[in-house]
Amino acid sequence: MASFIPPALPSDDKRWKIVHATMRKNGFARHALIETLHTVQSSFGYLDEDAIRFVARSLRVPLSQAYGVVTFYHYFNLKPPGRHTVTVCAGTTCFIKGADKLIATAQKRLGIETGHTTPDGEVSLMVARCVGACSRAPVTLMDGEVQGEMTSEQMLAQLERWTVE
Amino acid sequence: MTIEELEQLAISVRRDNAKFDYQVNVCMDLACASQGAGAIKEALDQAVAASGKNVLVRRTGCMGPCSHGPLVRVDPEKTLYRKLKSEHAEKIVGALGSKPVSELQCDLSEHFEGQVRVVLENAGYIDPSKIEDYIGRDGYKALLSMLTEMTPNGVIHRITESGLRGRGGGGYPTGLKWGTVAKAAGDTKFVVCNGDEGDPGAFMDRSVMEGDPHRVIEGMAIAGYAIGASKGYIYVRAEYPLAVSRLTAALRDARRVGLLGMNICNTTFNFDVEIRLGAGAFVCGEETALLASIEGRRGNPRTRPPYPASSGLWGKPTLINNVETYANIAPIIRNGGKWFHNMGSERSKGTKVFALTGKIANTGLVEVPMGISLKDIIEKIGGGVPGGHKLKAVQTGGPSGGCIPANMLDVGVSYDALLKMGSIMGSGGMIVMDDTSCMVNVARFFMEFCMTESCGKCVPCRAGTAQMHTLLTRIAEGHGSMEDLELLEDLCATVKEASLCGLGQTAPNPVLSTLKYFRAEYEEHIVHKRCPAGICKVSHVEEVTA
Ligand SMILES: Cc1cc2nc3c(=O)[nH]c(=O)nc-3n(C[C@H](O)[C@H](O)[C@H](O)COP(=O)(O)O)c2cc1C
Ligand code: FES
C-alpha cells in the first residue's frame, strides 16, 4: 500500500485537486470509485475518457470496471451538458399528472430527443425518475431548481428566457 | 456525553425555547422551499425584528400537507397559515398576541385527526440543522439510556416485542433480522441504511433524512450496539443532494458532542457512520445490489442465500434496514416494545408514513396507524379527489406493487391485506388515480420503468420486461389481440417465477393487478380500439378483427 504513488493530475486545472482530495480522503481505496466519479461529474459536469482513465489508474481499478460502472449508473454523463439544462420528472406521480406532455413540448421546441443537447450547446433536455417533489407534480428542474405544477406554457417561457440571455 | 449531560442540555434547550412568547415555524421542505419558503422566512425574521416582539422564527422539515404550502405554523396556538407569500409576513407577525389572520388561516383538522405521528413526531417542530433541537425533543435519550441500562440482547428483545417490520417494502420482522446478524459469526459487522428510495412517486425517506436526520443516525447507532457493529453506511440516492448535506452536517454535529465516535457515553461502544451516494439505478435499492454499489461496483444483485445477515459488505455480516425502519427505533427504545405493539393491526404494528400524491386534494406526507382503511386515508385525510372527478384506483408499492380499485378501499392497510389485493405495502408511495388515467397506460409506464431499470444480469427480467412492454404498447396503440392478453399473463408468470431478484420477481405486479381489476379497459383497447380514459393514441384500423 505505502509504495503506491498515484499518477500525476492530468492538468493544472484546479478542479483536479478536488478530485484528488476525494480519493485521498478515501485512502485511494477501490471502493471510492463511485464517490470519485461523482466528484469528477460535479466538478466538470460530465465524465470524459481522460477523466475515467485517470480515476481508474489512481484507484488501481481495471479500466473495464471503471467504464462498466460509469455506463451502469444513469446519473453519470459521458457528454458535456449544455449551458442550461431542463430536466422533466417522469416519475409515477408526474406521469399521472401529464409529464409526457411536458416532454413532448420540450422535444418539439428544442428539436431534440431526451438525453440530448441542442446543436448549439445551449440547452440539454433530460428526464428524471422522481426528484422527491411529487406533491407538486408535474415537476421540472430548471438548471437544477425545482419548479412544481409546471405547465407547458411556463416551461416554454423559461426556455424562451434562456435563448434571449 | 453522559446521560446526565444530555438531560441537562435537553432541559436548557427547552428553557431557551420557552423564553419566547411565540414560535413561528416555517416549513422549508422541498415542496414549500420551491415556492419561496426561504424568502418567507427572511421576511418573517425582518418583521419580527421590526416589531420588537419576543418571537422565535424557525425553519423546519415537512409539515405534511404540501398542496397547501408554503406553510407556517404559529405556536403555542398551533395556527396554521397556508399559501403564504413574503408580503404576508408583517401581517402575521402583527397578529401575534391578537386574532390570527383569518384569510390566510387554514383548517386542516380532519387531515390531521386521523394521523398518529411517531416517525414524523419532530417534523415541523425542529430545525433539522440543529442537533440541540433534536435533543430538546428527547433526541439521543434512547441511545444513551440504552448504553447505560440495556444489553444488546435486551435491545433486540425490545425490537422483537414491538412487532416492527421492515418499512422498505418487504416487511421482514426487524427484531428477527437484528437477532440473526447479532448471532452471525465474525468480529467485524456493518450497519447499513437503505436511503435509495427508488419508488418514483415516494418521498417519505427523503423527508425524514432531510427533516430529522439525527433520528436515522440514532436508530443506526442503536442497531450497531445491538448487533455488535462499530461502522455504519447510509446509502442515499444522488437525486437527494439536500438529504446528503443535512446528513453530513448531522454526522459532524453528533461527532462534535460525542454522540458518535469512540467510547460513546464513556462506554466501550464505538460507532460512526459514512454516507455513500447512489447514482441513479433503481435496482440499487435491492439489498445485494446496494452492497455492491457501496463497494464501488456495478449494482448487480446476486442470489441469496447467503443473505447479507451472514455475508454482506465485504463478506461481513451486515444489517440492512430502510430509513423509516431506523426512524422507528429510538421511540421504541424510549417508550417500550409494548407501546409500539399496541398500535396498528394484528400482524402489522405501529404506523406507516405514506407519500400521498396524484389526483387528491391534500397531497403530501401522512402518517397513519396500520390498519386504517384506504378509504379513510383518501377521503378524510387526503380530502378526496378534486375537480369533480371520480376516484379510480390507488397505486401502492410503485413498480413492484399494484393498483387497487376504488371499490376495494374499505380494506385496512397492512402488509398482508395489500398483498392479498395484488399490491404490496411498498415503501410508502400512494398515488391516487381518477377517471382521467388509463390503466393500460399505467401498466405500460411501470413496465417501461422496469425494462429500463433491469440490470440485465438474468434473462427472465431483461428479456421478459422488454417483451411485456412491447405487448402492452401494442395493446395501448390498438394493435393488440385477445391472444396477446394470454401471452402477457403467461409472461407475467414466468418473469415472476424465474427472475433472480425482487425487481424481476415483482415487475409483473402492476400488469397483473390491472388485468385483474381493469380487464375491461384492456379489452376496450383491443376489441373496440378505444381508450376509455382518452389517454392512449389508439389507431383506428378499419377492418376491426373480430
Ligand atoms: C428492486 C428493489 C428495489 C428496492 N428498493 C428499495 C428502496 O428504495 N428502499 C428500501 O428501503 N428498500 C428497497 N428494497 C428492499 C431492500 O432490498 C431491503 O429489503 C430493505 O432495504 C430492507 O430493509 P427493511 O427490512 O427495513 O425494510 C428494494 C428491493 C428491490 C427488490
Ligand atoms: S414523481 Fe416527479 S417528483 Fe416524484
XYZ file of all heavy atoms in Angstrom, chain B residues 136-225:
658
model
N -33.590 18.529 22.396
C -34.665 19.140 23.169
C -35.956 18.328 23.122
O -36.820 18.456 23.980
N -36.108 17.546 22.070
C -37.293 16.682 21.964
C -36.913 15.221 22.224
O -37.319 14.319 21.518
C -37.952 16.867 20.594
C -38.660 18.228 20.511
C -39.310 18.480 19.184
N -40.393 17.559 18.872
C -41.671 17.760 19.165
N -42.034 18.848 19.809
N -42.582 16.886 18.814
N -36.123 15.014 23.227
C -35.731 13.676 23.688
C -34.803 12.938 22.734
O -34.657 11.716 22.821
C -36.955 12.792 23.962
C -37.644 13.177 25.249
O -36.979 13.858 26.079
O -38.812 12.821 25.432
N -34.162 13.662 21.819
C -33.233 13.027 20.898
C -32.025 12.455 21.617
O -31.536 13.047 22.591
N -31.554 11.343 21.167
C -30.386 10.616 21.680
C -30.570 10.100 23.111
O -29.670 9.497 23.673
C -29.093 11.454 21.573
C -28.628 11.597 20.145
C -28.739 12.805 19.467
C -28.112 10.495 19.448
C -28.342 12.926 18.138
C -27.709 10.615 18.120
C -27.827 11.829 17.478
O -27.436 11.940 16.175
N -31.760 10.336 23.670
C -32.030 9.804 25.005
C -32.082 8.278 24.941
O -31.573 7.586 25.834
C -33.362 10.367 25.497
C -33.614 10.151 26.953
C -34.842 10.966 27.359
C -35.543 10.289 28.529
N -36.839 10.927 28.797
N -32.693 7.767 23.886
C -32.804 6.315 23.745
C -31.409 5.694 23.658
O -31.109 4.699 24.326
C -33.624 5.966 22.508
N -30.552 6.310 22.852
C -29.207 5.754 22.664
C -28.448 5.713 23.985
O -27.895 4.677 24.366
C -28.433 6.587 21.629
C -26.973 6.194 21.412
C -26.862 4.813 20.760
C -26.230 7.226 20.563
N -28.424 6.845 24.682
C -27.607 6.895 25.895
C -28.203 6.079 27.036
O -27.472 5.402 27.766
C -27.363 8.352 26.323
C -26.531 9.197 25.351
C -25.975 10.427 26.049
C -25.403 8.423 24.689
N -29.515 6.106 27.182
C -30.078 5.300 28.269
C -29.896 3.815 27.960
O -29.624 3.016 28.852
C -31.545 5.651 28.530
O -32.298 5.449 27.373
N -29.998 3.457 26.685
C -29.749 2.069 26.310
C -28.324 1.653 26.667
O -28.100 0.570 27.217
C -29.992 1.890 24.814
C -29.547 0.550 24.262
S -29.290 0.608 22.496
C -27.705 1.436 22.372
N -27.362 2.547 26.355
C -25.960 2.190 26.607
C -25.700 1.957 28.089
O -24.863 1.134 28.457
C -25.033 3.295 26.087
C -24.843 3.346 24.568
C -24.024 4.562 24.168
C -24.188 2.078 24.052
N -26.404 2.684 28.934
C -26.150 2.518 30.364
C -27.029 1.441 30.993
O -26.672 0.884 32.022
C -26.365 3.847 31.121
O -27.584 4.429 30.648
C -25.234 4.801 30.884
N -28.184 1.154 30.359
C -29.127 0.264 31.050
C -29.394 -1.068 30.371
O -29.908 -1.989 31.006
C -30.486 0.962 31.207
C -30.468 2.147 32.133
C -31.681 3.046 31.898
O -32.628 2.612 31.210
O -31.657 4.181 32.387
N -29.107 -1.172 29.085
C -29.565 -2.372 28.378
C -28.421 -3.179 27.784
O -27.397 -2.634 27.390
C -30.545 -1.989 27.250
C -31.850 -1.415 27.769
S -32.896 -0.811 26.431
C -33.649 -2.334 25.862
N -28.640 -4.482 27.672
C -27.684 -5.333 26.969
C -28.099 -5.374 25.498
O -29.258 -5.105 25.179
C -27.747 -6.770 27.502
O -29.065 -7.275 27.263
C -27.430 -6.832 28.983
N -27.174 -5.724 24.614
C -27.550 -5.867 23.206
C -28.751 -6.803 23.035
O -29.668 -6.513 22.268
C -26.297 -6.447 22.562
C -25.169 -5.918 23.402
C -25.718 -5.883 24.805
N -28.750 -7.898 23.770
C -29.867 -8.823 23.678
C -31.181 -8.194 24.119
O -32.233 -8.449 23.530
C -29.602 -10.060 24.543
C -28.995 -11.160 23.710
O -29.180 -11.174 22.496
N -28.263 -12.060 24.347
N -31.070 -7.386 25.153
C -32.256 -6.700 25.642
C -32.843 -5.785 24.571
O -34.062 -5.669 24.417
N -31.955 -5.117 23.818
C -32.409 -4.227 22.748
C -33.138 -5.046 21.678
O -34.237 -4.688 21.239
C -31.211 -3.476 22.119
C -31.670 -2.643 20.932
C -30.521 -2.609 23.154
N -32.524 -6.143 21.284
C -33.132 -6.974 20.245
C -34.488 -7.509 20.728
O -35.469 -7.523 19.984
C -32.186 -8.128 19.854
C -30.951 -7.543 19.159
C -32.899 -9.125 18.939
C -29.861 -8.544 18.881
N -34.525 -7.863 21.988
C -35.778 -8.349 22.554
C -36.863 -7.277 22.455
O -38.000 -7.541 22.065
C -35.562 -8.772 24.010
C -36.820 -9.234 24.662
N -37.356 -10.482 24.419
C -37.672 -8.609 25.512
C -38.480 -10.604 25.103
N -38.695 -9.489 25.784
N -36.493 -6.061 22.783
C -37.485 -4.984 22.747
C -37.976 -4.712 21.320
O -39.168 -4.474 21.104
C -36.906 -3.697 23.359
C -37.937 -2.604 23.491
C -37.498 -1.475 24.375
N -37.343 -1.884 25.773
C -37.025 -1.039 26.754
N -36.821 0.239 26.485
N -36.885 -1.459 27.983
N -37.063 -4.752 20.376
C -37.471 -4.519 18.977
C -38.381 -5.668 18.510
O -39.384 -5.453 17.827
C -36.229 -4.403 18.055
C -35.328 -3.236 18.489
C -36.648 -4.228 16.597
C -35.968 -1.882 18.447
N -38.026 -6.886 18.908
C -38.852 -8.032 18.535
C -40.242 -7.896 19.149
O -41.259 -8.085 18.478
C -38.205 -9.342 19.037
O -36.849 -9.367 18.590
C -38.937 -10.558 18.500
N -40.257 -7.527 20.415
C -41.515 -7.374 21.136
C -42.423 -6.321 20.493
O -43.648 -6.442 20.492
C -41.169 -6.968 22.569
C -42.324 -6.826 23.503
C -41.865 -6.243 24.846
O -41.016 -5.323 24.864
O -42.346 -6.729 25.866
N -41.792 -5.291 19.917
C -42.583 -4.217 19.316
C -43.369 -4.703 18.101
O -44.396 -4.140 17.744
C -41.670 -3.064 18.898
O -40.945 -3.423 17.728
N -42.867 -5.742 17.448
C -43.533 -6.227 16.244
C -43.194 -5.407 15.005
O -43.824 -5.560 13.959
N -42.199 -4.524 15.117
C -41.803 -3.698 13.968
C -41.375 -4.566 12.792
O -40.619 -5.522 12.955
C -40.645 -2.766 14.384
C -40.004 -1.915 13.279
C -40.999 -0.906 12.719
C -38.772 -1.188 13.814
N -41.888 -4.229 11.610
C -41.472 -4.915 10.387
C -40.862 -3.905 9.430
O -41.182 -2.721 9.459
C -42.675 -5.607 9.736
C -43.217 -6.727 10.603
C -44.539 -7.249 10.099
N -44.419 -7.906 8.790
C -45.453 -8.509 8.184
N -46.642 -8.535 8.739
N -45.288 -9.082 7.008
N -39.947 -4.386 8.594
C -39.177 -3.505 7.720
C -40.058 -2.620 6.864
O -41.026 -3.069 6.269
N -39.725 -1.326 6.818
C -40.532 -0.360 6.074
C -40.043 -0.161 4.647
O -40.527 0.706 3.945
C -40.529 0.981 6.810
C -41.070 0.935 8.236
C -42.520 0.511 8.272
N -43.144 0.798 9.565
C -43.817 -0.098 10.284
N -43.950 -1.347 9.838
N -44.382 0.237 11.426
N -39.056 -0.953 4.227
C -38.527 -0.780 2.873
C -39.374 -1.474 1.821
O -39.111 -1.357 0.632
N -40.366 -2.208 2.241
C -41.260 -2.830 1.268
C -41.593 -4.266 1.594
O -42.737 -4.698 1.517
N -40.598 -5.033 1.980
C -40.813 -6.457 2.179
C -41.506 -6.804 3.487
O -42.194 -7.822 3.590
N -41.310 -5.973 4.499
C -41.977 -6.204 5.763
C -41.385 -7.331 6.589
O -42.073 -7.975 7.375
N -40.104 -7.568 6.439
C -39.445 -8.618 7.229
C -39.354 -8.156 8.690
O -39.020 -6.997 8.953
C -38.045 -8.886 6.651
C -37.389 -10.114 7.221
C -37.706 -11.375 6.716
C -36.468 -10.027 8.265
C -37.118 -12.511 7.241
C -35.874 -11.161 8.792
C -36.205 -12.399 8.270
O -35.627 -13.528 8.797
N -39.644 -9.052 9.645
C -39.592 -8.643 11.051
C -38.210 -8.119 11.447
O -37.205 -8.824 11.307
C -39.916 -9.928 11.807
C -40.659 -10.774 10.831
C -40.096 -10.439 9.487
N -38.173 -6.899 11.934
C -36.900 -6.238 12.200
C -36.121 -6.921 13.331
O -34.912 -7.125 13.228
C -37.148 -4.756 12.534
O -37.917 -4.195 11.464
C -35.856 -3.981 12.677
N -36.815 -7.289 14.399
C -36.138 -7.928 15.529
C -35.464 -9.228 15.121
O -34.337 -9.527 15.533
N -36.171 -9.960 14.286
C -35.630 -11.240 13.819
C -34.337 -11.019 13.017
O -33.331 -11.715 13.181
C -36.688 -11.922 12.942
C -36.489 -13.384 12.587
C -36.426 -14.221 13.864
C -37.643 -13.876 11.707
N -34.382 -10.002 12.150
C -33.203 -9.691 11.336
C -32.031 -9.285 12.227
O -30.907 -9.756 12.048
C -33.546 -8.567 10.358
C -32.611 -8.481 9.169
C -32.849 -7.224 8.346
C -33.739 -7.453 7.155
N -33.845 -6.247 6.301
N -32.290 -8.433 13.202
C -31.224 -7.984 14.106
C -30.632 -9.175 14.846
O -29.413 -9.278 14.999
C -31.763 -6.962 15.122
C -32.060 -5.615 14.528
C -32.415 -5.355 13.228
C -32.044 -4.351 15.195
N -32.627 -4.008 13.056
C -32.408 -3.368 14.245
C -31.772 -3.953 16.502
C -32.494 -2.016 14.559
C -31.864 -2.597 16.821
C -32.214 -1.639 15.851
N -31.513 -10.056 15.305
C -31.049 -11.229 16.039
C -30.140 -12.099 15.186
O -29.106 -12.603 15.651
N -30.502 -12.255 13.914
C -29.693 -13.082 13.017
C -28.305 -12.485 12.828
O -27.296 -13.194 12.885
C -30.375 -13.201 11.634
O -31.750 -13.517 11.839
C -29.729 -14.266 10.780
N -28.258 -11.161 12.601
C -26.947 -10.533 12.395
C -26.136 -10.584 13.691
O -24.928 -10.834 13.673
C -27.089 -9.073 11.910
C -25.736 -8.485 11.562
C -28.008 -8.996 10.714
N -26.811 -10.395 14.817
C -26.098 -10.417 16.096
C -25.456 -11.782 16.328
O -24.354 -11.881 16.848
C -27.059 -10.086 17.243
N -26.162 -12.836 15.901
C -25.654 -14.188 16.131
C -24.620 -14.611 15.096
O -23.889 -15.579 15.327
C -26.821 -15.174 16.116
C -27.580 -15.205 17.434
C -28.582 -16.363 17.434
C -29.902 -15.960 18.052
N -31.026 -15.879 17.142
N -24.579 -13.921 13.957
C -23.666 -14.329 12.880
C -22.220 -14.297 13.377
O -21.835 -13.437 14.174
C -23.836 -13.407 11.679
N -21.433 -15.247 12.899
C -20.041 -15.324 13.331
C -19.227 -14.193 12.705
O -19.456 -13.810 11.558
C -19.461 -16.672 12.927
N -18.263 -13.661 13.457
C -17.385 -12.627 12.909
C -17.288 -11.444 13.840
O -18.253 -11.095 14.536
N -16.111 -10.812 13.868
C -15.904 -9.670 14.746
C -16.342 -8.377 14.094
O -16.788 -7.448 14.739
C -14.417 -9.550 15.112
C -13.974 -10.721 15.961
O -14.849 -11.309 16.628
O -12.771 -11.054 15.938
N -16.143 -8.315 12.760
C -16.493 -7.092 12.066
C -17.877 -7.238 11.450
O -18.125 -8.165 10.684
C -15.470 -6.808 10.953
O -14.172 -6.933 11.508
C -15.656 -5.431 10.364
N -18.760 -6.322 11.805
C -20.104 -6.305 11.234
C -20.449 -4.878 10.824
O -19.840 -3.935 11.312
C -21.116 -6.822 12.258
C -20.918 -8.286 12.613
C -21.873 -8.781 13.655
C -21.480 -10.215 14.014
N -22.321 -10.772 15.076
N -21.427 -4.770 9.925
C -21.799 -3.437 9.468
C -23.295 -3.181 9.592
O -24.100 -4.102 9.476
C -21.398 -3.245 8.005
C -19.920 -3.260 7.785
C -19.310 -4.366 7.214
C -19.141 -2.174 8.152
C -17.938 -4.391 7.008
C -17.764 -2.190 7.957
C -17.160 -3.301 7.379
N -23.602 -1.908 9.804
C -24.996 -1.452 9.785
C -25.166 -0.604 8.530
O -24.378 0.313 8.294
C -25.297 -0.585 11.023
C -26.662 0.052 10.911
C -25.188 -1.408 12.292
N -26.159 -0.936 7.720
C -26.378 -0.165 6.512
C -27.806 0.366 6.502
O -28.750 -0.345 6.849
C -26.128 -1.029 5.251
C -26.547 -0.277 3.990
C -24.667 -1.426 5.153
N -27.932 1.643 6.117
C -29.258 2.243 5.998
C -29.575 2.432 4.524
O -28.807 3.044 3.776
C -29.280 3.585 6.721
S -30.806 4.481 6.498
N -30.707 1.895 4.119
C -31.122 1.987 2.727
C -31.915 3.272 2.510
O -33.093 3.363 2.846
C -31.967 0.762 2.374
C -32.269 0.652 0.895
O -32.147 1.629 0.170
N -32.654 -0.535 0.449
N -31.233 4.270 1.961
C -31.879 5.548 1.663
C -31.958 5.761 0.168
O -31.851 6.881 -0.309
N -32.153 4.669 -0.553
C -32.150 4.784 -2.012
C -33.507 5.271 -2.530
O -33.579 5.876 -3.589
C -31.783 3.441 -2.649
C -31.341 3.614 -4.089
O -30.558 4.553 -4.336
O -31.790 2.863 -4.962
N -34.539 4.976 -1.790
C -35.903 5.407 -2.147
C -36.136 5.429 -3.656
O -36.306 6.484 -4.264
C -36.221 6.774 -1.553
C -37.698 7.095 -1.634
C -38.144 8.056 -0.535
O -37.639 9.187 -0.464
O -38.964 7.637 0.258
N -36.153 4.241 -4.229
C -36.253 4.150 -5.683
C -37.651 4.284 -6.224
O -37.834 4.613 -7.401
N -38.657 4.024 -5.418
C -40.032 4.095 -5.899
C -40.330 5.510 -6.385
O -40.373 6.444 -5.594
C -40.963 3.684 -4.747
C -42.434 3.858 -5.094
O -42.735 4.256 -6.233
O -43.280 3.597 -4.221
N -40.533 5.692 -7.700
C -40.778 7.054 -8.188
C -42.178 7.486 -7.768
O -43.156 6.837 -8.107
C -40.672 6.905 -9.708
C -40.963 5.472 -9.991
C -40.608 4.686 -8.760
N -42.286 8.548 -7.036
C -43.581 8.985 -6.545
C -43.641 8.868 -5.039
O -44.692 9.034 -4.444
N -42.512 8.548 -4.415
C -42.463 8.418 -2.964
C -41.340 9.295 -2.442
O -40.288 9.380 -3.061
C -42.219 6.968 -2.576
N -41.588 9.950 -1.302
C -40.530 10.828 -0.788
C -40.504 10.866 0.736
O -40.027 11.823 1.340
C -40.678 12.243 -1.359
C -42.023 12.864 -1.149
C -42.252 13.677 -0.059
C -43.064 12.630 -2.033
C -43.503 14.230 0.151
C -44.327 13.184 -1.825
C -44.542 13.989 -0.731
N -41.000 9.791 1.364
C -41.006 9.751 2.834
C -39.583 9.752 3.369
O -39.249 10.469 4.310
C -41.668 8.476 3.381
C -43.005 8.091 2.821
S -42.944 7.469 1.123
C -41.674 6.253 1.163
N -38.756 8.895 2.769
C -37.400 8.748 3.284
C -36.593 10.025 3.074
O -35.802 10.417 3.930
C -36.703 7.563 2.612
C -37.358 6.238 2.974
O -38.210 6.235 3.888
O -37.035 5.210 2.350
N -36.820 10.689 1.939
C -36.142 11.967 1.716
C -36.510 12.939 2.825
O -35.646 13.582 3.433
C -36.566 12.580 0.370
C -36.036 13.986 0.196
C -36.520 14.676 -1.061
N -37.924 14.986 -1.097
C -38.522 15.914 -0.343
N -37.820 16.641 0.498
N -39.822 16.107 -0.417
N -37.805 13.003 3.104
C -38.269 13.956 4.079
C -37.719 13.649 5.476
O -37.388 14.572 6.226
C -39.785 13.942 4.088
O -40.263 15.036 4.769
N -37.621 12.373 5.823
C -37.078 12.015 7.138
C -35.583 12.350 7.198
O -35.106 12.951 8.158
C -37.318 10.520 7.451
C -36.593 10.116 8.728
C -38.809 10.241 7.588
N -34.842 12.000 6.140
C -33.400 12.273 6.145
C -33.132 13.780 6.174
O -32.188 14.235 6.818
C -32.729 11.650 4.912
C -32.690 10.126 4.950
S -31.733 9.415 3.597
C -32.847 9.592 2.212
N -33.973 14.549 5.459
C -33.753 15.992 5.419
C -34.309 16.694 6.649
O -33.735 17.656 7.132
C -34.414 16.593 4.167
C -33.722 16.218 2.881
C -34.436 16.776 1.667
O -35.442 17.496 1.807
O -33.985 16.469 0.555
N -35.446 16.204 7.135
C -36.165 16.919 8.180
C -35.795 16.491 9.596
O -36.014 17.223 10.548
N -35.263 15.278 9.743
C -34.934 14.772 11.078
C -33.760 13.795 10.985
O -33.867 12.637 11.373
C -36.176 14.075 11.656
C -36.150 14.006 13.181
O -35.158 14.476 13.774
O -37.106 13.471 13.759
N -32.613 14.285 10.473
C -31.508 13.371 10.163
C -30.975 12.624 11.388
O -30.580 11.464 11.282
C -30.427 14.283 9.574
C -30.769 15.660 10.036
C -32.261 15.688 10.157
N -31.004 13.282 12.553
C -30.445 12.631 13.746
C -31.230 11.397 14.156
O -30.683 10.473 14.741
C -30.388 13.629 14.906
C -29.312 14.653 14.727
N -27.987 14.363 14.913
C -29.374 15.950 14.355
C -27.267 15.459 14.681
N -28.089 16.428 14.332
N -32.512 11.400 13.834
C -33.350 10.252 14.169
C -32.847 8.991 13.467
O -32.827 7.908 14.049
C -34.781 10.583 13.735
C -35.739 9.429 13.652
C -37.096 9.965 13.252
N -37.551 10.847 14.295
C -38.262 10.440 15.350
N -38.637 9.197 15.456
N -38.606 11.281 16.276
N -32.432 9.141 12.232
C -31.920 7.999 11.469
C -30.580 7.554 12.048
O -30.319 6.364 12.237
C -31.760 8.373 9.973
C -31.304 7.173 9.168
C -33.063 8.931 9.419
N -29.737 8.542 12.363
C -28.414 8.233 12.909
C -28.549 7.536 14.260
O -27.875 6.535 14.528
C -27.584 9.535 13.044
C -27.355 10.140 11.656
C -26.260 9.269 13.750
C -26.831 11.557 11.680
N -29.465 8.022 15.092
C -29.655 7.408 16.410
C -30.131 5.953 16.253
O -29.622 5.049 16.924
C -30.655 8.208 17.256
C -30.744 7.676 18.674
C -31.713 8.448 19.576
O -32.416 9.342 19.089
O -31.749 8.124 20.783
N -31.068 5.731 15.335
C -31.553 4.369 15.087
C -30.434 3.450 14.637
O -30.327 2.297 15.073
N -29.556 3.978 13.788
C -28.439 3.162 13.303
C -27.460 2.840 14.435
O -26.935 1.724 14.518
C -27.700 3.887 12.176
C -28.487 3.974 10.877
S -27.578 4.869 9.612
C -26.326 3.664 9.164
N -27.217 3.827 15.292
C -26.270 3.595 16.393
C -26.824 2.546 17.354
O -26.083 1.676 17.837
C -25.996 4.917 17.125
N -28.123 2.615 17.606
C -28.744 1.609 18.474
C -28.596 0.223 17.839
O -28.254 -0.759 18.513
C -30.224 1.968 18.739
C -30.295 3.253 19.567
C -30.963 0.817 19.430
C -31.687 3.836 19.716
N -28.815 0.175 16.538
C -28.660 -1.105 15.830
C -27.221 -1.596 15.937
O -26.967 -2.790 16.146
C -29.062 -0.945 14.363
N -26.262 -0.662 15.818
C -24.853 -1.029 15.906
C -24.529 -1.680 17.244
O -23.844 -2.704 17.314
N -25.074 -1.096 18.297
C -24.861 -1.656 19.636
C -25.494 -3.046 19.723
O -24.891 -3.988 20.238
C -25.483 -0.701 20.656
C -25.411 -1.176 22.086
C -24.211 -1.163 22.788
C -26.568 -1.619 22.738
C -24.156 -1.584 24.111
C -26.518 -2.040 24.059
C -25.315 -2.029 24.742
O -25.259 -2.443 26.049
